[in-house]
Amino acid sequence: EVQLLESGGGLVQPGGSLRLSCAVSGFTFSMYAMSWVRQAPGKGLEWVSSISGSGGSTYYADSVKGRCTISRDNSKNTLFLQMISLRTEDTAVYYCARDSGSYGTFYFDYWGQGSLVTVSS
Amino acid sequence: DIQMTQSPSTLSASVGDRVTITCRASQSISNWLAWYQQKPGKAPELLIYKASSLESGAPSRFSGSGSGTEFTLTISSLQPDDFATYYCQQYNSYPYTFGQGTKLEIK
């Protein structure tokens, strides 16, 4: 059974930093690209970042470029999102999602339960 | 960036109704389109990929069609479990973009 479990969310002050993790199981992690998608309270879905199966290619939304770094540890089946210089508009539930392939552009076939990040003073 | 526009934003319908949600892309995305269902407090779930392919485990009352810039999601006979919010997503190119969502409500 495919499982994705996010952790690391919480309350952070504007300008602060946070690292989200997503531990996966039930599939060969390195064979799939992975992504982060967020959802602000009461709003729609917004793609944040993606990383190829090998970790050699990364992609970012303009809204987080330069402030977020996606990475993965294929030996530990874990995906990360390091966020710095956080803004109030970054407040959202952050979902990790499995891309439907390893390298290229894909839809998301499995999602985690989400981790809430609240940026507030 | 490719803009995705869904209509309507809200749809009121009754159990047993046939409903259609439309998603338009600002430029051609071939058939690189997915549909997701999201219930309150839950993660989205994949329903349709490649515009018309039904995800394994998704009910057969869901179907998708379209190519290029115009796409539709149809539910042939609404069931109580179908009242949720639906999103389209293009994966033709980065940045991936979603439609704003269509909330399907009980009439």
Side-chain angles (χ1 to χ4, degrees):
Chain A
E1 179 189 6
V2 171
Q3 293 190 336
L4 296 83
L5 185 63
E6 301 95 336
S7 61
L11 176 63
V12 61
Q13 292 188 335
S17 302
L18 207 61
R19 188 175 85 154
L20 301 178
S21 299
C22 175
V24 313
S25 60
F27 63 98
T28 304
F29 186 53
S30 62
M31 290 183 63
Y32 291 88
M34 296 292 295
S35 297
W36 290 96
V37 177
R38 69 184 180 183
Q39 186 169 37
K43 302 297 184 182
L45 301 170
E46 179 189 17
W47 171 77
V48 173
S49 181
S50 297
I51 186 168
S52 63
S54 67
S57 297
T58 57
Y59 309 88
Y60 298 94
D62 285 346
S63 58
V64 303
K65 198 172 294 182
R67 301 188 299 117
C68 287
T69 302
I70 191 171
S71 61
R72 62 193 298 160
D73 184 337
N74 285 348
S75 69
K76 296 183 178 179
N77 290 351
T78 305
L79 174 72
F80 303 101
L81 184 69
Q82 176 72 50
M83 299 184 288
I84 65 171
S85 302
L86 282 162
R87 307 166 180 167
T88 55
E89 56 264 36
D90 294 317
T91 294
V93 173
Y94 285 72
Y95 296 101
C96 75
R98 190 183 85 166
D99 289 34
S100 52
S102 176
Y103 183 82
T105 59
F106 302 98
Y107 54 91
F108 308 122
D109 56 2
Y110 289 94
W111 298 65
Q113 86 291 347
S115 183
L116 177 62
V117 173
T118 303
V119 184
S120 175
S121 55
Chain B
D1 298 1
I2 299 173
Q3 308 302 315
M4 306 300 293
T5 304
Q6 285 180 236
S7 60
S9 295
T10 306
L11 179 57
S12 296
S14 302
V15 172
D17 285 353
R18 178 184 179 90
V19 299
T20 298
I21 299 169
T22 298
C23 179
R24 289 186 174 87
S26 60
Q27 63 189 73
S28 178
I29 58 169
S30 184
N31 59 355
W32 304 119
L33 184 100
W35 289 96
Y36 303 89
Q37 178 193 66
Q38 187 179 34
K39 296 179 181 177
K42 301 293 186 182
E45 292 186 0
L46 176 67
L47 291 173
I48 301 284
Y49 62 94
K50 209 172 180 183
S52 60
S53 296
L54 187 69
E55 172 69 353
S56 175
S60 59
R61 60 183 178 273
F62 291 92
S63 64
S65 66
S67 67
T69 62
E70 187 149 341
F71 304 86
T72 59
L73 173 70
T74 298
I75 309 173
S76 60
S77 178
L78 271 175
Q79 299 303 300
D81 192 49
D82 300 337
F83 292 95
T85 300
Y86 294 84
Y87 294 93
C88 61
Q89 177 231 339
Q90 68 81 18
Y91 54 100
N92 178 78
S93 61
Y94 290 106
Y96 294 147
T97 45
F98 291 87
Q100 80 279 15
T102 295
K103 185 175 182 180
L104 183 51
E105 299 180 331
I106 300 174
K107 184 184 285 185

